[in-house]
Amino acid sequence: DAKTQGRNTYRFYEPALQQRGARRLNLENGLKRALELGELMLYFQPKYDCARRRLIGAEALLRWQYKHEWISPTEFIPLAEETGLILPLGEWVLEAALNTLAEWRHQQLVDDEFHIGVNVSPAQFWHPQFAQRTLEILQRCLPGGQGLLELELTESCLLRPSEESQRTFNALRQAGVRFAVDDFGTGYSNLGYLKQFPLDVLKIDQSFVRDCIDDLSDATIIRAIIAMAHGLGLAVIAEGVETLEHAEFLKREGCELLQGYLLAKPMPADQFAEFCRQLAFHPYLGSVAASHAA
Ligand code: C2E
Ligand code: MG
Ligand code: MG
Ligand code: MG
């Protein structure tokens, strides 16, 4: 009886599985041509320093429009990682992000310290040529650009403390590349990497920020991350800051950098430029600036 039931269950799920397989294949094939067809673009989300009351940078986030549908990076990035496509895609992202920053600097939309954050997958970071290729692109797009590029690595990039990854860090570090640990607190729990690698910033994952007002555990975890970051001489930025309450809580706890919908959703480069020009009229940032000026 269990056997027939098992078989029935199997049959019941089969079409759904097949459909998922078909979508996957379809996306995989689409992704292979996305670059040449110009279907990829970058959105940018501001990072804000509430202590110094200014924008300190922007995170570049990849967007893909395929057959009139926007596919989420949470769906296509894993596909790109599994197929190896992440290597050409990653270089495209890096180059496009740095060129955009070069343009903003040229237009004097941003100050000298404004950086661009670029997400890096483990498969990219572990590639033997990663440091060299990255430095070539940096040199081409922003020659001498010390401190203008911040690579956002997930904890999974850091859990193999090999000599090779140490060399990768050192080579990039020497050229002034900065490093952030993305989604901090959701990955690997061996924190030894924090002292091993030359890191600059911890990004508190948005899953802790979401309910930090009502959930004592989230609030406690956030406090601990901030204390640890500062104790290690690292900066700390909270992602997923959606409400004034989030921002007030984080500031009170000593988190100086904020990123999230409260400030702005990710947006195309031209809209980001407009955002910079209109900063004084921003409902949150504008009033912060005004209340401090008064
Ligand atoms: P991430 O690097 O942790 O990026 C933050 C994600 O949170 C982004 O989702 C962003 O749009 C979203 N977000 C920002 N503020 C808020 C907020 O206030 N509330 C909420 N609910 N969400 C917010 P997105 O753009 O869908 O990207 C998802 C993930 O895909 C990224 O997470 C990153 O891991 C990956 N990804 C995106 N672009 C790239 C890329 O160029 N290369 C690589 N390797 N990964 C990328
Ligand atoms: Mg990120
Ligand atoms: Mg994140
Ligand atoms: Mg994330």
Side-chain angles (χ1 to χ4, degrees):
D1 192 59
K3 217 170 159 187
T4 44
Q5 228 183 20
R7 226 184 287 142
N8 284 339
T9 322
Y10 175 71
R11 268 204 218 104
F12 178 72
Y13 282 114
E14 203 173 30
L17 275 177
Q18 261 171 11
Q19 247 172 40
R20 244 195 313 165
R23 175 172 171 87
R24 199 202 132 99
L25 261 180
N26 181 21
L27 289 181
E28 226 177 270
N29 286 325
L31 202 53
K32 280 184 200 146
R33 301 202 56 204
L35 267 182
E36 52 178 301
L37 295 178
E39 294 169 347
L40 295 170
M41 68 180 294
L42 291 182
Y43 274 32
F44 299 89
Q45 187 179 37
K47 304 184 190 182
Y48 184 70
D49 182 335
C50 27
R52 295 158 76 199
R53 300 196 299 282
R54 56 194 228 177
L55 296 183
I56 52 142
E59 176 173 3
L61 292 157
L62 188 54
R63 294 291 178 263
W64 178 30
Q65 192 177 25
Y66 178 50
K67 298 180 180 164
H68 307 289
E69 185 190 354
W70 290 95
I71 315 291
S72 164
T74 57
E75 183 168 20
F76 73 78
I77 293 288
L79 272 186
E81 287 171 343
E82 287 162 35
T83 55
L85 285 170
I86 194 68
L87 295 174
L89 290 189
E91 293 197 349
W92 182 87
V93 168
L94 192 62
E95 180 148 1
L98 291 170
N99 281 334
T100 303
L101 178 55
E103 179 60 27
W104 289 341
R105 285 166 61 87
H106 180 69
Q107 293 176 11
Q108 295 182 311
L109 272 168
V110 298
D111 64 34
D112 280 346
E113 287 168 49
F114 186 100
H115 72 257
I116 200 85
V118 172
N119 292 288
V120 174
S121 294
Q124 293 173 264
F125 189 74
W126 290 332
H127 191 277
Q129 248 96 64
F130 177 72
Q132 189 200 323
R133 300 290 291 253
T134 300
L135 292 176
E136 278 167 18
I137 297 172
L138 183 60
Q139 188 57 32
R140 179 152 26 95
C141 302
L142 278 171
Q146 291 267 331
L148 300 182
L149 173 63
E150 185 168 289
L151 297 179
E152 299 197 1
L153 310 174
T154 51
E155 290 179 280
S156 52
C157 288
L158 305 163
L159 57 81
R160 283 200 215 160
S162 61
E163 261 174 52
E164 175 130 17
S165 49
Q166 193 76 58
R167 269 199 300 274
T168 302
F169 269 110
N170 292 343
L172 291 164
R173 177 50 136 221
Q174 259 177 20
V177 174
R178 298 157 44 85
F179 297 99
V181 184
D182 209 345
D183 305 338
F184 185 76
T186 62
Y188 192 57
S189 59
N190 179 349
L191 298 174
Y193 69 80
L194 288 176
K195 59 173 191 182
Q196 179 135 14
F197 296 128
L199 305 169
D200 300 279
V201 187
L202 299 186
K203 295 194 82 170
I204 303 175
D205 189 67
Q206 53 192 50
S207 62
F208 303 121
V209 175
R210 194 173 303 128
D211 298 320
C212 67
I213 306 300
D214 303 312
D215 188 321
L216 190 59
S217 312
D218 286 332
T220 304
I221 290 169
I222 289 177
R223 276 191 200 103
I225 294 176
I226 295 169
M228 188 167 63
H230 288 165
L232 291 166
L234 306 177
V236 60
I237 182 165
E239 30 175 40
V241 180
E242 293 188 356
T243 65
L244 265 177
E245 288 75 22
H246 288 157
E248 289 310 314
F249 169 81
L250 288 158
K251 277 197 276 187
R252 201 163 57 238
E253 296 301 332
C255 178
E256 62 275 27
L257 307 176
L258 307 180
Q259 183 180 352
Y261 294 170
L262 175 67
L263 304 139
K265 291 197 170 175
M267 56 199 144
D270 52 342
Q271 267 180 47
F272 191 93
E274 198 51 31
F275 172 85
C276 292
R277 291 190 197 99
Q278 302 288 325
L279 212 52
F281 308 106
H282 187 282
Y284 173 64
L285 301 180
S287 67
V288 170
S291 68
H292 283 275

